[in-house]
Amino acid sequence: MKNGKEYKYILLDLDGTLTDSMEGITKSIRYALKHFDIEVCDLNDLRKFVGPPLKESFMHFYHFTEAQAEEGIRKYRERFADKGIYENTVYEGVETLLQQLNEAGKQVMLATGKPTYYAEKILNYFHLDAYFKFVGGSGLDGSLSHKDEVIRHVLESNDIRDLNRVVMIGDRENDITGAKRTGIDSIGVLYGYGDREELTSAGADRIVTSVEELSRVLL
């Protein structure tokens, strides 16, 4: 809680916050890059792709044109849709946290940059879907590609107007900046793919090191 504030609406990122999805994402990125004759041996070199919008990442890290980036996303999805999506594990303690938040009367919602279609499949696969009142993500057509757009979509779809009762939880800079742009508080988690410097620079209201610490803050 910030200044003793009690949050009612809990918005959670997916990759790096609820699940460790690095393997599936990085292997699918490597598959896409190979289409452009770019070979990547160490998957750790592709960790930076976990979290931010894929199109922007292709353009930033590999200087792709917009058309190349869109082609890269299509190739990425060829592998991710059937295989990469399941190369994924739920962080220890996450399901217990979700259960406790529900029992405490919190409204738990997903706010992810991943397409809603894939996010729902992942939640269903890990039997976490019942804990979420709403699943907000990007569109397969590229719509809602920025985190602030996803957050606004979640807030508007659920008619949430008391922004003082809302918090966004995520592991990357875009989770924090998305929260700031929509006027809500944010909590950065260090067990995902971002580091303290990234989350601090982005302006996180609070930073936690573990799922257990996050539970103490929210409950």
Side-chain angles (χ1 to χ4, degrees):
M1 299 176 195
K2 182 185 176 188
N3 300 324
K5 190 183 298 183
E6 182 176 346
Y7 299 115
K8 178 179 179 180
Y9 307 100
I10 313 298
L11 275 55
L12 290 156
D13 177 45
L14 181 57
D15 299 322
T17 302
L18 299 178
T19 69
D20 181 355
S21 53
M22 178 183 162
E23 181 183 357
I25 291 175
T26 55
K27 284 184 176 179
S28 299
I29 291 292
R30 182 169 65 183
Y31 172 86
L33 290 173
K34 193 170 184 178
H35 173 71
F36 295 93
D37 296 321
I38 299 171
E39 295 287 345
V40 178
C41 296
D42 188 352
L43 290 175
N44 283 307
D45 292 339
L46 301 177
R47 280 175 60 99
K48 55 200 174 190
F49 276 87
V50 184
L54 290 181
K55 183 176 178 180
E56 291 182 7
S57 293
F58 276 125
M59 295 173 73
H60 177 69
F61 297 122
Y62 286 93
H63 309 294
F64 279 13
T65 64
E66 188 168 351
Q68 286 175 322
E70 289 172 354
E71 176 68 10
I73 290 173
R74 284 193 290 272
K75 297 304 292 185
Y76 167 88
R77 287 177 178 167
E78 281 183 6
R79 185 187 186 283
F80 185 80
D82 297 321
K83 191 169 185 179
I85 191 172
Y86 303 117
E87 294 169 328
N88 197 358
T89 57
V90 179
Y91 285 117
E92 185 175 351
V94 160
E95 184 166 8
T96 297
L97 170 62
L98 294 174
Q99 183 177 1
Q100 291 173 337
L101 290 172
N102 275 260
E103 289 173 351
K106 310 292 186 182
Q107 295 197 23
V108 182
M109 306 177 191
L110 197 71
T112 175
K114 187 181 292 300
T116 304
Y117 173 77
Y118 293 132
E120 289 178 338
K121 287 186 73 172
I122 291 168
L123 293 181
N124 291 340
Y125 179 73
F126 289 116
H127 307 294
L128 299 178
D129 51 301
Y131 298 113
F132 288 86
K133 183 189 178 199
F134 187 83
V135 176
S138 61
L140 288 169
D141 61 356
S143 59
L144 302 179
S145 60
H146 294 96
K147 187 52 71 84
D148 58 305
E149 295 173 326
V150 174
I151 293 172
R152 286 192 189 94
H153 170 61
V154 172
L155 297 176
E156 291 170 4
S157 297
N158 293 277
D159 196 27
I160 299 171
R161 303 183 187 187
D162 186 0
L163 300 187
N164 286 317
R165 303 290 302 280
V166 187
V167 64
M168 176 70 214
I169 300 157
D171 66 312
R172 299 302 306 271
E173 174 187 14
N174 60 313
D175 297 309
I176 307 306
T177 56
K180 293 183 81 67
R181 287 172 185 160
T182 48
I184 64 174
D185 287 350
S186 61
I187 298 174
V189 301
L190 289 178
Y191 56 82
Y193 302 106
D195 56 27
R196 187 175 292 276
E197 181 181 1
E198 176 181 341
L199 296 171
T200 300
S201 297
D205 292 300
R206 185 156 186 164
I207 296 175
V208 298
T209 60
S210 65
V211 175
E212 290 74 23
E213 185 179 358
L214 178 60
S215 177
R216 291 195 295 271
V217 170
L218 296 176
L219 295 165

